[in-house]
């Protein structure tokens, strides 16, 4: 499988050069994706088995929903309601 081989190669190349935190992994992932064209991405997808495709779609849906909920909470302009208080 090309995808698993690609991941293994990336891990072996960068395991001693990166901390492995989320920021490093994001940066590496997007750098790799920038080098691939649409055809190459589809070729990788076609080589995935059903479980890998299901996992990929699951992650995409999860991250997209997280982004939408985060965006919605930032755009929520409802006034905050404070109950009346007696101040003497």
């Amino acid at each position: 499988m090309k995808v698993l081989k690609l991941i293994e190669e990336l891990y072996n190349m960068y395991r001693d050069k990166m901390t492995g935190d989320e920021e490093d992994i994001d940066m590496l992932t997007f750098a790799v994706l920038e080098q691939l064209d649409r055809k190459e991405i589809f070729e990788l997808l076609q080589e995935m088995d059903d479980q890998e495709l299901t996992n990929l779609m699951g992650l995409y849906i999860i991250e997209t929903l997280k982004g939408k909920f985060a965006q919605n909470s930032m755009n929520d302009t409802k006034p905050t309601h404070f109950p009346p208080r007696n101040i003497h």
Side-chain angles (χ1 to χ4, degrees), residues 15-57:
R15 69 178 171 201
D16 297 328
K17 298 175 179 125
M18 299 178 124
T19 63
D21 65 10
E22 193 169 333
E23 187 176 311
D24 279 351
I25 293 170
D26 287 351
M27 182 179 65
L28 177 58
T29 300
F30 289 113
V32 169
L33 288 173
E34 285 180 354
Q35 302 302 311
L36 299 174
D37 63 24
R38 183 179 182 90
K39 182 181 176 205
E40 292 169 318
I41 292 171
F42 276 120
E43 288 171 2
L44 291 172
L45 290 171
Q46 287 178 324
E47 292 184 4
M48 291 181 158
D49 64 28
D50 290 346
Q51 187 61 53
E52 290 172 315
L53 283 172
T54 299
N55 292 346
L56 179 64
M57 285 304 300

